[in-house]
Amino acid sequence: MILTVTLNAAIDKRYVVHGFQEGEVNRVAECTYTPGGKGLNVSKPAVIAGGQVVATGFLGGHAGQYIEDALKPLGITSAFYHLEDESRTCINIWDGKKEIQTEFLEPGFLVKEEEFQGFLKLFQTLINDAEVVAISGSVPKGLDGTAYQTMVRLVKEAGKKVILDTSGNLLKMGILACPTMIKPNLDEIRMLTGNNCDSLDDMVEAAKKIHSQGVEIVAVSLGAEGSFVVCDSGVYRARVPKIHAVNTVGCGDSMIAGFALGLKENLPMEEILKKASAISAASALREETGYFRMEDMEKLLPEITITRLEE
C-alpha cells in the first residue's frame, strides 16, 4: 500500500463567492467541507486511481474526528495518532467573478516531544506494510526541520521508497536524509542550490546538482508549462495541454499521487511522469480539492507529451 503522512491535517472549507470585497460582508454562494492537508490531498486522488492508501499523522478533538469520519467513504484507511487539542481549519475562497482564489491557513496545534515520539513508534509499524511513503506539507508547532529528516531516514532504513513534498527549512533539512523523490518549485530550487535559475537549462542543472547529492528523483513543476524530472535514467520534460482550470489547489498533491502509484508499480519514468501529469491536470478541472475523474484523466493522457532531454 501507499502510506501518506499529514502531520498538520485540516478541515478544508471552500467558499464560492461572486465578487469578493475586502473589508465588506460577503455572501457565500456555495460551501464545501473536506478532509485536507497536503498528505490527504495525495491520498484522495491515489485512491481514485486505484491505489490502496493508509493515511497517518496527527488528529485532534472533534475536528479530528470529523476528518477521520470523512475519510471512510473515500476508501482511505486512517491510522492517525490522536491528540486532545483541535485539528485546524483552512479556508479557500474562490471568487467566481474574478476567477481568483484566496487562502487562509491556520497554524494548527502544538505537538510535544513525547507526542512526536509516540507518533514515530506508530509510524515505524506502518512503514513495514508500505511500498511507498509520501510525506507532505507543513509540521505543527513544536516540531522543526529535523522531524521530516528523522522520518525519511526511518523509511530509508526500512528499504522503502519515500517522497518528500514540503518547503523552506523542512525541505532543506529533509533532503539531507536523501529521500527517493522531491518536487520543488522554482523558488525552492533557488533556495536549495543558490542558483538564479533564469532559464530551463539553469533549472535542469540545479536539479541535477540536487540529484547528485543523493535524491534519486527531482521533479520540478513549471505550472501551466508542465514539469521536468531529473533521475538516474535521464532528464524528461512533460508538456500538458491548455485547460480551463477551475481549482488549482492540490494539483501538485495529485501529481505526487501519480508518482507514488508509478513508483509502487516500478513503471518507467516516462510512464510515471505522463500519468502523474494527467492526474494533476484532471484535478484542476474539478472544484473539489484532491479529486479528479478517471474519464478526464484518460482523455488528457494522450495529449501529454514526454520528451527525453538528456540520457
Side-chain angles (χ1 to χ4, degrees), residues 6 16 24 47 80 91 95 116 125 148 150 163 176 180 211 268 305:
T6 314
V16 177
E24 302 292 335
V47 168
F80 287 89
I91 297 172
D95 188 333
F116 182 57
T125 64
Y148 283 162
T150 298
I163 301 171
L176 296 177
T180 308
H211 172 66
T305 60

Side-chain angles (χ1 to χ4, degrees), residues 10 35 73 108 117 169 228 238 248 302:
Q117 292 304 318
N169 198 47
F228 72 86
T248 58

Side-chain angles (χ1 to χ4, degrees), residues 199-237:
S199 67
L200 178 61
D201 287 343
D202 290 344
M203 294 176 68
V204 169
E205 288 305 312
K208 287 165 70 174
K209 180 179 179 181
I210 297 169
H211 172 66
S212 70
Q213 294 169 350
V215 179
E216 292 179 37
I217 302 167
V218 182
V220 181
S221 173
L222 301 173
E225 300 300 314
S227 60
F228 72 86
V229 165
V230 173
C231 60
D232 289 342
S233 58
V235 180
Y236 301 89
R237 171 76 189 273

